[in-house]
């Protein structure tokens, strides 16, 4: 049986809900000096993902006014 590969990344707190699907558009200029960019930018640009679990606490983010949270995603 094939095992689904889950990745941990960060997403905006307001849309961090299990079942949400999104296409990763890549980093933005605001990400350049962010200490969290390693976690955010490890997804593949242009690929669609689905949130399958929520993890962790809210972290500050220059792009998301309400911060970001850790989530587990799978590639669709």
């Amino acid at each position: 049986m094939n095992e689904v590969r889950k990745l941990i990344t960060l997403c905006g707190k307001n849309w961090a809900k299990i079942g949400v699907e999104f296409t990763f558009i890549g980093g933005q200029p605001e990400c350049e000096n962010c200490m969290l960019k390693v976690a955010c930018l490890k997804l593949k640009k242009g690929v669609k993902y689905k949130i399958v679990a929520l993890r962790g606490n809210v972290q500050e983010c220059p792009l998301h006014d309400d911060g970001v949270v850790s989530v587990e995603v799978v590639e669709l």
Side-chain angles (χ1 to χ4, degrees), residues 4-74:
V4 176
R5 183 170 177 238
K6 295 178 185 176
L7 299 169
I8 298 174
T9 190
L10 301 171
C11 73
K13 178 184 159 220
N14 290 339
W15 53 274
K17 295 173 180 55
I18 294 174
V20 168
E21 297 178 4
F22 64 94
T23 300
F24 183 63
I25 60 171
Q28 302 300 304
E30 295 87 347
C31 303
E32 195 69 30
N33 296 318
C34 181
M35 294 177 65
L36 301 174
K37 73 179 178 183
V38 173
C40 291
L41 303 181
K42 65 180 168 185
L43 301 180
K44 298 177 200 169
K45 189 174 180 178
V47 174
K48 191 169 186 176
Y49 294 90
K50 181 177 182 178
I51 299 174
V52 294
L54 306 177
R55 305 169 57 117
N57 298 320
V58 177
Q59 304 289 325
E60 289 185 27
C61 173
L63 287 178
H64 298 277
D65 291 335
D66 291 328
V68 292
V69 296
S70 298
V71 296
E72 288 182 27
V73 298
V74 294

